[in-house]
Amino acid sequence: MIRDTELLDQLIDTISRFVRERLIPNEARLAEDDAVPPELLEEMKEMGLFGLSIPEEYGGLGLTMEEEALVAMEIGKTSPAFRSVFGTNNGIGAQGILIDGTPEQKAKYVPRLATGELLSSFCLTEPDSGSDAASLRTTAVRDGDHYVLNGTKRYITNGPEADVFTVMARTDPANKGAGGISAFIVDGDAPGLKRGPSDKKMGQKGAHTCDIIFEDCRVPAENIIGGEEGKGFKTAMKVLDRGRLHISAVCVGVAERLVEESLNYAIERKQFGVPLADHQLIQAMLADSKTEAYAGRTMVLDAARRKDDGENVSTLASCCKLFCAEMVGRVADRAVQVHGGAGYMAEYAVERFYRDVRLFRIYEGTTQIQQVVIARNMVREAN
Ligand SMILES: Cc1cc2nc3c(=O)[nH]c(=O)nc-3n(C[C@H](O)[C@H](O)[C@H](O)COP(=O)(O)OP(=O)(O)OC[C@H]3O[C@@H](n4cnc5c(N)ncnc54)[C@H](O)[C@@H]3O)c2cc1C
């Protein structure tokens, strides 16, 4: 749903200019320094990027899912690590509090997440529980007016920097499944919260992950999301539904950027006396990538509109994540091929994107888990 076409066009225009004039020229620096330049971080805050999907009453822009998808497609046209910094505040880091938090929890945290004053993270994955997230082992034991958390969370995006964490932990040891899990808001300076060293990753340099370790970490009982035990896994799944559409939209944006990079290179470079773009086998790669990016754009916008209309889009969000994450992998692979040897060299953006996009098939539910979710829902609906 687009509430005001003119306003949205202006926003997309502004973001598009920011991506073109400020972020793209700093992509190599981002990768080399493995850090978002501080001045760009400030500009992102000023533009309201930390609060894109946070409702206006909490100081955000309150974008609908369709509007957010269109914006994410623009942001996708540059290194995904730039998005990662503010993406968690709009997505997995804040949505748990927004969707299921008490009014007090929302009032305390959400306005500061919307401005970027607080950076947030989402802690679900553990060393022994990834795709099988419901088997997580981190415990939260009630002790007076606190809970005491013990356990380790793995590969936590923004973990080294985050001020606040949404943490899924088991409050009912007798219930080994999803029903025994609760979600907590944990402040970054909570006693007993430790951060492991930054992980060395394949790509997306500038976006950091690390272990988050809880050793007798005391969290006020009022920080249990929604004020009730046993709802945490459902909260996490609702958060991921929105997140999957957002990530899919980012994949579309990256794919469109790679199509543009491939086309420009194919027009510029000559072999056999003509531009690469005149060779039909190169044209086939360009056409396949263009078609797949367009298919991704169309399906993400359709699912986003349906979500705005109140439809349950759990299956469709997984369809989008499955297709778009795989699609951008194929597009990145062709982009390297169109560039030939240059595509293997670090000075060309496609080499970096080729490594960056690999992550999309892994986090927020792997490709196989999307397949499992889609088929499980299909079978359930047929019975
Ligand atoms: C850079 C990065 C950032 C991340 N950020 C976060 C974050 O902020 N917060 C967070 O909580 N997590 C985060 N993660 C974790 C991520 O969500 C998990 O890595 C992902 O869910 C997969 O879990 P796993 O790594 O344990 O793989 P596994 O679950 O061990 O999977 C290994 C392989 O087995 C397949 N597989 C597993 N189960 C099945 C099945 N039933 N059927 C078929 N195939 C199956 C998987 O698809 C995969 O191919 C991040 C990961 C990375 C790499």
Side-chain angles (χ1 to χ4, degrees):
M1 183 201 314
I2 294 176
R3 295 160 304 165
D4 184 329
T5 314
E6 206 175 310
L7 266 183
L8 184 69
D9 285 349
Q10 274 173 18
L11 175 68
I12 289 181
D13 221 48
T14 308
I15 290 176
S16 170
R17 210 167 337 111
F18 181 61
V19 165
R20 241 183 5 256
E21 293 173 7
R22 303 290 294 134
L23 300 186
I24 292 179
N26 279 293
E27 284 175 352
R29 183 177 159 208
L30 168 80
E32 250 159 59
D33 297 353
D34 193 14
V36 175
E39 71 276 13
L40 292 180
L41 202 59
E42 285 313 307
E43 287 174 48
M44 288 173 185
K45 288 182 186 172
E46 276 161 31
M47 287 175 71
L49 295 183
F50 283 82
L52 288 172
S53 60
I54 291 177
E56 284 159 303
E57 57 181 303
Y58 298 110
L61 296 180
L63 299 186
T64 64
M65 192 69 238
E66 184 180 1
E67 293 167 346
E68 185 184 329
L70 286 163
V71 166
M73 287 172 189
E74 279 315 302
I75 292 165
K77 290 180 183 159
T78 184
S79 292
F82 282 127
R83 182 215 63 95
S84 217
V85 186
F86 58 84
T88 44
N89 275 32
N90 289 295
I92 56 177
Q95 287 297 325
I97 307 174
L98 262 174
I99 296 171
D100 283 337
T102 62
E104 294 75 28
Q105 289 166 350
K106 291 183 197 176
K108 182 170 173 193
Y109 288 99
V110 179
R112 291 193 291 157
L113 289 168
T115 55
E117 180 194 333
L118 293 181
L119 264 190
S120 63
S121 277
F122 177 80
C123 299
L124 180 63
T125 305
E126 299 182 356
D128 292 320
S129 106
S131 299
D132 183 13
S135 70
L136 65 83
R137 292 199 196 150
T138 295
T139 54
V141 177
R142 183 88 190 223
D143 178 26
D145 54 2
H146 281 74
Y147 281 88
V148 180
L149 270 62
N150 277 289
T152 298
K153 296 292 179 178
R154 182 135 294 171
Y155 311 140
I156 302 307
T157 301
N158 287 345
E161 299 91 3
D163 303 292
V164 58
F165 298 84
T166 300
V167 181
M168 268 49 71
R170 193 166 300 282
T171 40
D172 180 0
N175 185 338
K176 304 276 180 228
I181 297 170
S182 305
F184 294 88
I185 306 166
V186 182
D187 291 327
D189 58 3
L193 184 154
K194 295 185 180 138
R195 302 167 203 243
S198 250
D199 299 316
K200 291 185 168 59
K201 308 197 295 354
M202 175 192 288
Q204 300 217 7
K205 293 278 163 32
H208 308 132
T209 62
C210 71
D211 278 5
I212 301 296
I213 304 139
F214 301 97
E215 284 176 2
D216 291 330
C217 174
R218 293 183 71 77
V219 178
E222 68 200 31
N223 279 22
I224 190 165
I225 293 186
E228 238 187 294
E229 287 188 7
K231 306 275 184 228
F233 195 74
K234 279 198 180 136
T235 300
M237 292 306 111
K238 285 186 234 171
V239 167
L240 288 177
D241 260 5
R242 190 175 184 112
R244 283 169 184 169
L245 284 178
H246 180 95
I247 291 290
S248 305
V250 173
C251 290
V252 170
V254 176
E256 290 177 350
R257 163 79 184 275
L258 289 169
V259 169
E260 194 185 320
E261 293 280 343
S262 304
L263 178 63
N264 290 343
Y265 189 81
I267 289 171
E268 218 171 81
R269 170 142 176 106
K270 286 190 176 150
Q271 283 299 284
F272 299 96
V274 294
L276 291 176
D278 285 2
H279 296 296
Q280 287 190 338
L281 295 178
I282 294 286
Q283 289 177 357
M285 287 194 274
L286 294 175
D288 284 352
S289 291
K290 173 84 182 170
T291 305
E292 290 205 273
Y294 173 56
R297 174 173 277 269
T298 307
M299 72 193 286
V300 171
L301 291 178
D302 175 66
R305 281 183 206 119
R306 287 167 187 258
K307 183 164 173 47
D308 288 337
D309 286 345
E311 214 177 290
N312 177 345
V313 296
S314 177
T315 306
L316 296 184
S318 284
C319 292
C320 289
K321 169 74 166 54
L322 167 61
F323 178 80
C324 294
E326 292 286 329
M327 175 276 287
V328 73
R330 292 189 294 270
V331 170
D333 189 71
R334 289 186 205 112
V336 170
Q337 199 64 19
V338 167
H339 280 69
Y344 202 69
M345 298 296 149
E347 65 188 279
Y348 285 85
V350 294
E351 181 273 340
R352 200 176 50 239
F353 276 106
Y354 180 76
R355 287 180 287 109
D356 287 348
V357 302
R358 191 62 186 83
L359 179 58
F360 293 130
R361 291 153 67 184
I362 295 170
Y363 71 177
E364 302 212 16
T366 64
T367 285
Q368 289 70 36
I369 291 307
Q370 307 309 328
Q371 290 172 317
V372 168
V373 169
I374 295 163
R376 192 188 55 207
N377 290 352
M378 286 167 70
V379 172
R380 188 189 297 144
E381 280 160 25
N383 283 321

